[in-house]
Amino acid sequence: PQEVSLVQESPDQAPSEEVMAGIRSLLKNMASLEEIYYSNHYTYTQDLGALFANSRAGVPDDLAVDILYAGTEAWALTVSHPESGGRCFLGYGRFIPMGWQPGAIVCP
């Protein structure tokens, strides 16, 4: 039988500052879009299509978004660059993951 590793191999080098700047920029944009969505619907959304419906922007092809949760009192998401392993987190509201600072972009 063939062995399957569940551990993702890390890239040989750290993501470039250009990649990380793109991740942070998308997070800032998505934070604004979540607040706009909330002002119209009184809840945050996990639906990327709804989030970007009235925006000229979108998610760049080289980045991946994972909205961990969104509800009436909070939202949390990650944006990553799968090719380089770059990843940042952002959450806001009443229920954010332990160790996250509300409203702060964290890039481990």
Side-chain angles (χ1 to χ4, degrees):
Q2 184 180 5
E3 288 186 33
V4 177
S5 174
L6 299 177
V7 178
Q8 203 173 38
E9 290 186 30
S10 61
D12 292 337
Q13 57 185 348
S16 70
E17 185 48 44
E18 181 181 355
V19 165
M20 297 308 292
I23 290 172
R24 288 189 292 271
S25 177
L26 182 58
L27 280 169
K28 289 175 188 177
N29 188 31
M30 291 186 70
S32 295
L33 292 173
E34 281 286 10
E35 296 306 323
I36 291 167
Y37 188 91
Y38 184 89
S39 71
N40 292 319
H41 303 279
Y42 305 106
T43 188
Y44 299 106
T45 183
Q46 287 187 284
D47 180 352
L48 282 176
L51 200 59
F52 286 98
N54 296 317
S55 172
R56 294 180 191 207
V59 177
D61 291 338
D62 63 335
L63 298 180
V65 173
D66 184 19
I67 300 176
L68 304 175
Y69 62 86
T72 58
E73 297 184 37
W75 56 266
L77 57 98
T78 68
V79 173
S80 62
H81 183 256
E83 185 178 316
S84 70
R87 176 181 303 264
C88 295
F89 311 93
L90 178 60
Y92 184 79
R94 190 171 189 159
F95 307 107
I96 61 167
M98 183 180 270
W100 290 23
Q101 183 178 356
I105 296 174
V106 177
C107 304

